[in-house]
Amino acid sequence: SSISKPDSGNVEANKQKILKLLEEKGDVTNNNVEELLSVSDATATRYLDELEKDGRIKQIGLTGHYVYYEEVI
C-alpha cells in the first residue's frame, strides 16, 4: 500500500517562491505565504520553519501579528 505524501520537488519550488517574494519585499509574513501559495496557515508555517532551519531566513518577533521573516544575508 502506498501512502501519498507531498511531492518534495513541489516543496522546494514553493520555498524558492517564498525566497523570491522575500527578495522583492524585504520581509514576509505567514499571511503573505498563505496568499502566495494558496496554502493553509499550518502549511505556510511549516515552509517558514523549514527555511529558518535551513538558515535561509530568520524570524523577527515572537508571536502573532508581530512576527515576520527576513532573508539571512
Side-chain angles (χ1 to χ4, degrees):
S1 72
S2 67
I3 298 169
S4 74
K5 60 183 198 179
D7 175 12
S8 61
N10 200 30
V11 168
E12 286 308 313
N14 284 341
K15 285 185 191 176
Q16 289 306 313
K17 288 178 188 172
I18 294 168
L19 291 170
K20 188 171 183 338
L21 180 66
L22 201 49
E23 276 179 38
E24 292 167 5
K25 286 180 47 89
D27 60 60
V28 295
T29 65
N30 190 297
N31 285 346
N32 296 145
V33 174
E34 287 177 48
E35 291 169 19
L36 175 72
L37 302 176
S38 300
V39 295
S40 69
D41 180 75
T43 299
T45 299
R46 192 172 67 245
Y47 280 132
L48 291 165
D49 285 347
E50 286 179 18
L51 284 167
E52 194 176 13
K53 280 185 193 137
D54 292 345
R56 307 291 297 280
I57 65 174
K58 62 183 174 184
Q59 179 177 324
I60 311 295
L62 295 176
T63 57
H65 295 291
Y66 301 105
V67 173
Y68 62 94
Y69 297 83
E70 291 182 343
E71 196 170 9
V72 172
I73 299 168

